[in-house]
């Protein structure tokens, strides 16, 4: 009994000033925010849009949203792994752009399969390079991927010689993203599959645990036998690969590509989706399915504002405020827990 | 309860005399659990007043109340007879009460003088008047008797010198009461001696020092008065002159020390060697050789900075090894990755569980299974039920007390957090376990549980290395003790030779070298 009290005090002394009851309470709150968090505002927004806008709830509109968000969803899903592993990937926009033009150039003259494979491979390679620079040379991932985005952007211009690439709708390449199955285009199916696979990878596999550990406390993870560098390289490589895949999906959907498409705007939209989904920018915590909700939440705001005819100006302001709220809540929760 | 005091105003020799600080009937509860119950203490001006007690006894809580970090639930503080309400460390500072915490709060990129006057710079229109700053600094340094250069970058200083910077900062603000929480915990022996001199000179100048320390010899040699706390209660306040280490320990524990350790199993002298370290050199480690047998607990003692943790990291292959070999079960441990070492059967419990051991925000379950997820997964897919079963068995074996294995590690007490690391280690079923400071920041009850655990693991056939700064711990647990000094093994002590005196002599071997074994 005495020991128990002493033990309790030991913990309390370490807990500094916050009373235990409060800490437990906030921890619960935090947990419920992290698990349900973005889902509640998403459902509210969904309900509001269903009531206020006639065309919103139409299947075609909903599928259209998913189709438009296919690339963003794929890239954000993989980006979640990078963020949870304690990194950040700002080069995804540029990689996406490079992937579209590489796929476009090849699809114009060669088989669609080759174009797809080459684009994904380009993405994987960029990701691998990012990962190696971050781990082997220990350069801050923000700077690494920012620098890489300039390099890749330049490479994309080189590939196209600055021209717009336009493909024909008759090619097999078009079918890659537009083949219909159960009235849903293949781009959506691929995206769902990709997000589910990455979600399970993070939440149910040893690799996922290692990602969480590497981002949560790299030193502790390493001493516990986790190959932190390897894990980070794989995460970056997946992120690059996802950007490659997203690029092919979009050029197959849109049939035109240009160096510079995607770019930083895409990288930041992806980051916004991840963060709004409740994944911590400090690493060590996050989930892929919530990133999915986060991306769709942002998409719904855009879609809803369009349908309701609100000035797009407000769309950006609202998005910015939501982003700040999400990050602020995360910081607040972390501070409470320390 | 309050300490009676015959000389109400003793004559002051130097400096500005402060007032006595009286803590009267102070209680503090955390979430319903008392951390401090009705404690009354008088801190006399110009005296060194020590607070001693086990972890969780409430001495840090009392220190924090005095320095305004936390506020008492009951009871009052008075300074020179006037009631004192401290709502923040800033308010305490305004009353001349300064805290020097265990973690130093210097800005490494600024110079010594800039650090000393941080936040109270002499400036004209926002521009710091460097010359004036330096003049004031020299004046202060002369007064305290420190030879610190004003323009050295503080980050380049030794820990002790950084502590001097903090002390000077305290004095520059005309502190009359300085609270020091474990000031020598991170210092080497010379640095500790220097710190002691500083504390003495502070009290000579009329500054009261509240000294919170684990080191009883330090407490006895420095203090004028000593207050013993146990389980949040004041046991007694005594004059240091009349106290001994034994009497203090008796007061702190409420029992004698010997009961704290499990009985030692007899080591088998011809058990097979599980770990062989041969002429190992690494940063901080100079030419270390020793062997560890199955079922043996080997203690490594030495001062902080003697290279104990560095040796542990070198053996674990987590440091650049420049020469020498480590053989595990007769096979050389090559390469440099903790991953390899763990899968070969060598596990390290690092010295700082928060920074190097645990994922504080993650669950008990994830923390325990992290090293050997391969045991509870197939093709990388975690079998949730198998993991839960394995973890609950490990929690039972290592007596982890947690309401649920889904609880994050932060919610556990220090002792239980440490046990998580033991559970993780047991899951690896290693042949050798290195435990670096296994009971740091752990309460008495959990300490005993950890000792029992270590002994049990040794009986199961592990070779165990225990590194500890607590001499009693090393001597109470180990079959054999290695003492390190300046990165070398300066003595090997066994059987009768294992005594505090022998360890200390070898740790400070400049003064009196015992038999050199290597």
């Amino acid at each position: 009994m005495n020991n128990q009290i002493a033990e309790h005090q030991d913990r309390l002394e370490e807990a500094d000033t916050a009373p235990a009851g409060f800490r437990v309470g906030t921890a619960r709150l935090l947990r419920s925010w992290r698990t349900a968090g973005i889902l509640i505002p998403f459902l509210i927004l969904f309900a509001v849009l269903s009531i206020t806008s006639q065309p919103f709830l139409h299947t075609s509109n909903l599928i259209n949203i998913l189709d438009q968000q296919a690339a963003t969803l794929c890239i954000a899903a993989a980006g979640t792994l990078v963020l949870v592993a304690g990194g950040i990937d700002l080069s995804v926009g540029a990689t996406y752009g490079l992937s579209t033009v590489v796929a476009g150039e090849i699809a114009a003259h060669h088989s669609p399969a080759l174009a797809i494979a080459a684009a994904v491979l380009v993405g994987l390679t960029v990701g691998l390079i990012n990962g190696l620079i971050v781990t082997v040379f220990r350069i801050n991932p923000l700077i690494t991927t920012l620098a890489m985005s300039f390099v890749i952007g330049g490479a994309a211009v080189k590939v196209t010689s600055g021209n717009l690439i336009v493909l024909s709708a008759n090619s097999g390449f078009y079918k890659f993203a537009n083949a219909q199955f159960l009235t849903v285009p293949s781009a959506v199916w691929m995206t769902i599959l990709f997000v589910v696979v990455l979600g399970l990878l993070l939440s149910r596999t040893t690799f996922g645990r290692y990602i969480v550990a590497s981002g949560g406390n790299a030193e502790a993870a390493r001493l516990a036998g986790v190959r932190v560098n390897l894990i980070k390289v794989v995460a970056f490589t997946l992120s690059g690969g996802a950007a490659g895949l997203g690029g092919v999906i979009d050029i197959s959907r849109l049939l035109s590509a240009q160096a510079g498409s995607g770019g930083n705007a895409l990288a930041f939209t992806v980051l916004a989706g991840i963060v709004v989904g409740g994944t911590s920018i400090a690493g060590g915590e996050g989930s892929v399915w919530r990133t999915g909700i986060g991306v769709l939440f942002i998409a719904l705001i855009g879609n809803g504002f369009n349908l309701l005819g609100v000035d797009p100006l407000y769309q950006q302001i609202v998005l910015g405020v939501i982003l700040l709220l999400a990050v602020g809540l995360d910081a607040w929760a972390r501070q409470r827990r320390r | 309860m309050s300490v009676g005091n015959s000389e109400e105003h003793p004559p002051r020799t130097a400096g500005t005399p402060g007032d006595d600080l009286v803590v009267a009937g102070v209680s503090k509860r955390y979430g319903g659990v008392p951390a401090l119950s009705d404690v009354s203490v008088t801190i006399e001006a110009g005296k060194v007043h020590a607070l001693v007690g086990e972890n969780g006894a409430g001495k840090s809580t009392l220190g924090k109340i005095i320095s305004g970090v936390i506020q008492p639930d009951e009871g009052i503080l008075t300074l020179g007879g006037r009631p004192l309400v401290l709502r923040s460390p800033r308010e305490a500072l305004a009353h001349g009460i300064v805290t020097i915490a265990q973690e130093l709060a210097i800005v490494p990129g600024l110079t010594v003088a800039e650090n000393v006057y941080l936040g109270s710079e002499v400036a004209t229109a926002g521009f710091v008047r460097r010359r004036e700053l330096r003049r004031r600094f020299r004046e202060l340094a002369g007064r305290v008797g420190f030879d610190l250069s004003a323009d050295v970058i503080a980050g380049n200083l030794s820990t002790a010198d950084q502590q001097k910077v903090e002390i000077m900062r305290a004095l520059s603000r005309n502190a009359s009461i300085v609270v020091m929480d474990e000031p020598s915990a991170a210092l080497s022996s010379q640095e500790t001696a220097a710190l002691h001199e500083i504390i003495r000179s502070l009290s000579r100048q009329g500054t009261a020092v509240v000294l919170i320390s684990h080191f009883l010899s330090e407490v006895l040699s420095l203090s004028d008065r000593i207050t013993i706390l146990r389980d949040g209660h004041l046991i007694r306040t005594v004059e240091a002159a009349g106290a001994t280490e034994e009497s203090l320990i008796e007061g702190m524990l409420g029992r004698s020390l010997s009961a704290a350790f499990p009985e030692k199993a007899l080591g088998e002298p011809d058990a097979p060697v599980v770990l062989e370290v041969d002429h190992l050199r690494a940063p901080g480690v100079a030419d270390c050789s020793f062997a560890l047998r199955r079922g043996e607990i080997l203690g490594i003692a030495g001062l902080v900075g003697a290279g104990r943790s560095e040796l542990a990291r070198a053996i674990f292959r987590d440091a650049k090894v420049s020469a020498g070999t480590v053989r595990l079960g007769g096979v050389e441990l090559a390469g440099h990755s903790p991953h390899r070492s763990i899968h070969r059967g060598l596990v390290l419990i690092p010295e700082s569980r928060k920074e190097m051991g645990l994922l504080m925000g993650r669950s008990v379950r994830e923390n325990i299974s992290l090293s050997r997820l391969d045991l509870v997964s197939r093709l990388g897919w975690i079998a949730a039920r198998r993991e839960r079963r394995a973890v609950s068995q490990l929690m039972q074996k290592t007596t982890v007390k947690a309401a649920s294995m889904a609880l994050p590690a932060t919610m556990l007490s220090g002792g239980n957090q440490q046990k998580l690391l033991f559970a993780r280690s047991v899951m690896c079923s290693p042949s050798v376990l290195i435990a670096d400071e296994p009971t740091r920041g752990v309460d008495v009850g959990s300490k005993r549980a950890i000792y029992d655990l270590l002994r049990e693991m040794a009986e199961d056939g592990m070779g165990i290395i225990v590194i500890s700064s607590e001499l009693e711990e090393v001597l109470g647990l180990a079959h054999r003790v290695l003492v390190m000094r300046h990165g070398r093994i300066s003595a090997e002590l066994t059987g009768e030779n294992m005594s505090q005196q022998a360890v200390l002599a070898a740790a400070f071997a400049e003064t009196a070298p015992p038999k050199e074994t290597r």
Side-chain angles (χ1 to χ4, degrees), chain A residues 149-168:
Chain A
S149 71
F150 291 116
V151 175
I152 302 158
V157 176
K158 177 82 184 151
V159 167
T160 60
S161 318
N163 297 324
L164 178 73
I165 300 168
V166 181
L167 298 172
S168 120

Side-chain angles (χ1 to χ4, degrees), chain B residues 93-296:
Chain B
L93 192 64
H95 287 95
I97 302 171
V98 176
T99 312
I100 295 170
Q102 223 170 321
E103 298 86 23
L104 295 175
I106 64 152
V107 183
L110 294 180
T111 67
V112 167
E114 283 163 345
N115 264 291
V116 168
Y117 294 101
L118 193 65
S120 63
E121 291 90 352
V122 261
T124 310
F127 289 94
V128 175
R129 287 159 59 196
R130 290 173 167 274
R131 198 178 302 167
E132 172 66 11
L133 202 69
R134 243 175 271 153
R135 193 191 60 74
R136 289 198 192 180
F137 176 85
R138 271 197 304 274
E139 195 183 273
L140 179 64
R143 183 151 63 83
V144 206
F146 292 169
D147 55 337
L148 277 179
S149 166
D151 300 321
V152 175
I153 299 295
N156 298 339
L157 296 174
S158 67
T159 313
D161 283 345
Q162 292 183 357
Q163 218 156 27
K164 284 184 192 168
V165 172
E166 281 229 355
I167 291 168
M168 287 182 68
R169 186 190 295 163
L171 295 179
S172 78
R173 278 151 218 199
N174 299 319
S176 58
I177 298 173
V178 178
V179 181
M180 293 189 178
D181 195 350
E182 299 287 356
S184 61
L187 298 185
S188 73
S189 56
Q190 299 95 319
E191 291 175 334
T192 304
L195 175 79
H196 290 177
E197 197 37 58
I198 292 161
I199 292 177
R200 287 196 187 94
S201 79
L202 281 179
S203 89
R204 271 200 299 277
Q205 290 172 25
T207 308
V209 177
V210 177
L211 177 68
I212 300 169
S213 177
H214 265 119
F215 300 102
L216 296 182
S217 53
E218 172 175 279
V219 164
L220 284 169
S221 74
L222 286 176
S223 327
D224 298 300
R225 295 168 158 275
I226 303 171
T227 292
I228 305 172
L229 296 165
R230 188 206 305 156
D231 295 339
H233 292 275
L234 180 102
I235 301 303
R236 57 179 170 265
T237 297
V238 296
E239 296 290 333
T244 62
E245 281 196 34
E246 287 72 32
S247 71
L248 293 182
I249 289 173
E250 191 270 323
M252 283 156 55
L253 296 180
R255 59 184 154 80
S256 68
L257 187 68
S258 57
F261 293 95
E263 208 176 302
K264 281 183 201 177
L266 287 176
E268 290 175 49
D270 38 310
V273 169
V274 285
L275 178 75
E276 221 179 332
V277 176
D278 193 28
H279 296 287
L280 195 65
R281 283 173 189 276
V285 179
D287 199 27
C288 284
S289 303
F290 68 90
L292 176 71
R293 293 182 184 280
R294 206 183 121 90
E296 184 183 28

Side-chain angles (χ1 to χ4, degrees), chain A residues 7 9 13 206 209 222 224-225, chain B residues 34 56 61 318 339 371 380 387 416:
Chain A
E7 208 167 293
Q9 280 171 1
E13 289 217 336
T206 54
R209 284 283 176 84
R222 204 169 50 79
Chain B
T61 306
D318 186 40
H339 177 79
S371 286
E387 188 193 17
N416 277 315

Side-chain angles (χ1 to χ4, degrees), chain A residues 89-333:
Chain A
D89 191 349
L90 292 184
S91 70
V92 286
T95 310
Y96 162 95
L98 180 62
S99 158
T100 56
V101 297
V102 165
E105 286 286 345
I106 296 176
H109 308 291
H110 304 281
S111 81
L114 185 67
I116 295 160
V120 173
L121 199 66
V122 162
L124 288 172
T125 311
V126 171
L128 181 66
I129 294 170
N130 278 333
L132 290 176
I133 295 175
V134 167
T135 55
V136 178
F137 300 105
R138 296 189 190 181
I139 297 175
N140 180 296
L142 190 95
I143 304 302
T144 302
T145 55
L146 183 65
M148 278 298 280
S149 71
F150 291 116
V151 175
I152 302 158
V157 176
K158 177 82 184 151
V159 167
T160 60
S161 318
N163 297 324
L164 178 73
I165 300 168
V166 181
L167 298 172
S168 120
N170 301 325
S171 70
F173 187 68
Y174 177 72
K175 289 214 178 89
F176 174 64
N178 295 292
Q180 300 277 319
F181 178 68
L182 301 175
T183 72
V184 175
S186 49
V188 175
W189 288 115
M190 279 187 283
T191 303
I192 292 172
L193 183 70
F194 190 74
V195 171
V196 167
V197 166
L198 285 195
L200 292 174
L201 198 63
L202 181 60
S203 63
R204 293 275 186 272
T205 67
T206 54
F207 174 68
R209 284 283 176 84
Y210 294 151
I211 284 187
V212 170
S214 305
N217 186 343
E219 174 79 347
R222 204 169 50 79
L223 290 176
V226 177
R227 283 169 290 190
V228 173
N229 282 353
L230 177 70
I231 299 296
K232 285 191 175 171
V233 169
V234 174
F236 273 104
T237 309
L238 279 174
S239 174
L245 178 67
V248 202
I249 289 177
D250 269 8
I251 185 179
S252 168
R253 271 180 53 226
L254 307 169
L255 292 175
S256 77
Q258 196 176 3
S261 62
N264 289 338
L266 177 63
F268 289 126
T269 309
V270 163
L271 198 59
I274 298 172
V275 171
V276 168
T279 292
S280 167
I281 34 168
E285 234 154 342
S287 98
V288 172
W289 73 264
R290 269 182 285 130
T291 292
I293 304 287
V295 169
L296 292 178
F297 182 69
I298 293 172
L300 280 197
I301 295 175
N303 185 259
F305 276 47
N306 287 342
L307 292 179
L308 298 174
V310 184
D311 192 331
L313 170 81
Y314 293 106
Q315 191 181 320
Q316 297 208 354
I317 293 174
V318 168
L319 175 59
V321 170
I322 287 168
L323 201 55
L324 279 177
L325 280 177
V327 179
L329 205 60
D330 178 58
W332 176 80

